[in-house]
Short mmCIF file of all heavy atoms in Angstrom, two decimals:
data_model
loop_
_atom_site.label_atom_id
_atom_site.label_comp_id
_atom_site.label_asym_id
_atom_site.label_seq_id
_atom_site.Cartn_x
_atom_site.Cartn_y
_atom_site.Cartn_z
N VAL A 160 6.64 -4.83 -2.51
CA VAL A 160 7.81 -4.14 -2.09
C VAL A 160 7.54 -2.97 -1.09
O VAL A 160 8.32 -2.92 -0.10
CB VAL A 160 8.58 -3.52 -3.40
CG1 VAL A 160 9.47 -2.57 -3.01
CG2 VAL A 160 9.13 -4.66 -4.15
N MET A 161 6.38 -2.16 -1.41
CA MET A 161 6.30 -1.01 -0.43
C MET A 161 5.53 -1.49 0.82
O MET A 161 5.47 -0.76 1.82
CB MET A 161 5.40 -0.02 -1.21
CG MET A 161 6.10 0.49 -2.44
SD MET A 161 7.69 1.23 -2.00
CE MET A 161 8.47 1.25 -3.69
N GLY A 162 4.92 -2.65 0.86
CA GLY A 162 4.18 -3.13 2.04
C GLY A 162 5.29 -3.53 3.07
O GLY A 162 4.93 -3.50 4.34
N ASP A 163 6.40 -4.09 2.63
CA ASP A 163 7.44 -4.26 3.69
C ASP A 163 8.45 -3.08 3.64
O ASP A 163 9.04 -2.64 2.76
CB ASP A 163 8.33 -5.58 3.09
CG ASP A 163 9.34 -6.04 4.02
OD1 ASP A 163 10.40 -5.22 4.15
OD2 ASP A 163 9.29 -6.97 4.67
N LYS A 164 8.41 -2.48 4.95
CA LYS A 164 9.08 -1.17 5.03
C LYS A 164 10.52 -1.14 4.80
O LYS A 164 11.19 -0.24 4.44
CB LYS A 164 8.67 -0.51 6.39
CG LYS A 164 7.16 -0.39 6.64
CD LYS A 164 6.46 0.23 5.54
CE LYS A 164 4.91 -0.08 5.55
NZ LYS A 164 4.23 0.24 4.40
N ILE A 165 11.11 -2.37 5.14
CA ILE A 165 12.65 -2.53 4.82
C ILE A 165 13.00 -2.58 3.37
O ILE A 165 13.75 -1.82 2.88
CB ILE A 165 13.17 -3.72 5.63
CG1 ILE A 165 13.20 -3.58 7.14
CG2 ILE A 165 14.61 -4.05 5.17
CD1 ILE A 165 13.59 -4.67 8.07
N THR A 166 12.16 -3.37 2.61
CA THR A 166 12.41 -3.47 1.22
C THR A 166 12.10 -2.25 0.51
O THR A 166 12.60 -1.75 -0.49
CB THR A 166 11.69 -4.65 0.54
OG1 THR A 166 10.34 -4.57 0.81
CG2 THR A 166 12.27 -6.07 1.08
N ALA A 167 11.00 -1.53 1.01
CA ALA A 167 10.61 -0.20 0.49
C ALA A 167 11.69 0.83 0.60
O ALA A 167 12.10 1.47 -0.39
CB ALA A 167 9.38 0.33 1.17
N LYS A 168 12.35 0.91 1.78
CA LYS A 168 13.39 1.82 1.95
C LYS A 168 14.62 1.52 1.05
O LYS A 168 15.23 2.37 0.46
CB LYS A 168 13.82 1.69 3.41
CG LYS A 168 13.74 2.99 4.18
CD LYS A 168 14.37 2.91 5.63
CE LYS A 168 15.28 4.00 5.84
NZ LYS A 168 15.80 4.12 7.23
N GLU A 169 14.96 0.24 1.12
CA GLU A 169 16.03 -0.19 0.27
C GLU A 169 15.85 0.14 -1.21
O GLU A 169 16.76 0.64 -1.86
CB GLU A 169 16.20 -1.79 0.40
CG GLU A 169 17.55 -2.30 0.02
CD GLU A 169 17.47 -3.91 0.07
OE1 GLU A 169 16.84 -4.37 0.95
OE2 GLU A 169 18.12 -4.57 -0.84
N THR A 170 14.65 -0.18 -1.71
CA THR A 170 14.34 0.02 -3.09
C THR A 170 14.40 1.50 -3.41
O THR A 170 14.92 2.03 -4.51
CB THR A 170 12.94 -0.65 -3.31
OG1 THR A 170 12.96 -1.91 -2.89
CG2 THR A 170 12.67 -0.49 -4.80
N MET A 171 13.76 2.40 -2.60
CA MET A 171 13.64 3.70 -2.84
C MET A 171 15.14 4.41 -2.70
O MET A 171 15.48 5.31 -3.48
CB MET A 171 12.81 4.41 -1.79
CG MET A 171 11.28 4.09 -2.02
SD MET A 171 10.90 4.50 -3.79
CE MET A 171 9.36 5.31 -3.47
N GLY A 172 15.92 3.89 -1.69
CA GLY A 172 17.26 4.41 -1.68
C GLY A 172 18.04 4.24 -2.85
O GLY A 172 18.76 5.08 -3.45
N LYS A 173 18.02 2.99 -3.53
CA LYS A 173 18.68 2.68 -4.73
C LYS A 173 18.15 3.45 -5.85
O LYS A 173 18.96 3.75 -6.77
CB LYS A 173 18.48 1.11 -4.96
CG LYS A 173 19.41 0.18 -4.24
CD LYS A 173 19.31 -1.22 -4.76
CE LYS A 173 19.98 -2.14 -3.81
NZ LYS A 173 19.47 -3.51 -3.81
N ALA A 174 16.95 3.81 -5.76
CA ALA A 174 16.39 4.65 -6.86
C ALA A 174 16.59 6.18 -6.79
O ALA A 174 16.28 6.91 -7.61
CB ALA A 174 14.78 4.41 -6.97
N GLY A 175 17.34 6.50 -5.66
CA GLY A 175 17.78 7.91 -5.56
C GLY A 175 16.87 8.76 -4.54
O GLY A 175 17.13 9.93 -4.58
N ILE A 176 16.12 8.10 -3.80
CA ILE A 176 15.32 8.96 -2.88
C ILE A 176 16.08 9.06 -1.55
O ILE A 176 16.61 8.14 -1.15
CB ILE A 176 14.09 8.12 -2.68
CG1 ILE A 176 13.15 8.08 -3.91
CG2 ILE A 176 13.13 8.76 -1.49
CD1 ILE A 176 11.91 8.91 -3.99
N PRO A 177 16.04 10.29 -0.97
CA PRO A 177 16.67 10.40 0.35
C PRO A 177 15.96 9.71 1.45
O PRO A 177 14.83 9.77 1.67
CB PRO A 177 16.65 11.93 0.46
CG PRO A 177 15.46 12.42 -0.31
CD PRO A 177 15.34 11.44 -1.38
N LEU A 178 16.86 9.04 2.29
CA LEU A 178 16.29 8.13 3.40
C LEU A 178 16.51 8.81 4.71
O LEU A 178 17.55 9.55 4.92
CB LEU A 178 16.85 6.75 3.23
CG LEU A 178 16.88 6.02 1.99
CD1 LEU A 178 17.50 4.67 2.14
CD2 LEU A 178 15.44 5.78 1.50
N VAL A 179 15.75 8.30 5.73
CA VAL A 179 16.18 8.63 7.13
C VAL A 179 17.39 7.75 7.42
O VAL A 179 17.40 6.64 7.18
CB VAL A 179 14.91 8.29 7.96
CG1 VAL A 179 15.29 8.78 9.49
CG2 VAL A 179 13.67 8.76 7.59
N PRO A 180 18.45 8.39 8.08
CA PRO A 180 19.56 7.55 8.45
C PRO A 180 19.19 6.43 9.39
O PRO A 180 18.33 6.54 10.27
CB PRO A 180 20.47 8.59 9.21
CG PRO A 180 20.03 9.86 8.68
CD PRO A 180 18.68 9.74 8.40
#
Side-chain angles (χ1 to χ4, degrees):
V160 165
M161 299 306 163
D163 181 288
K164 305 308 160 190
I165 291 175
T166 57
K168 235 185 130 170
E169 191 185 333
T170 307
M171 290 305 229
K173 277 188 190 151
I176 296 255
L178 307 177
V179 187

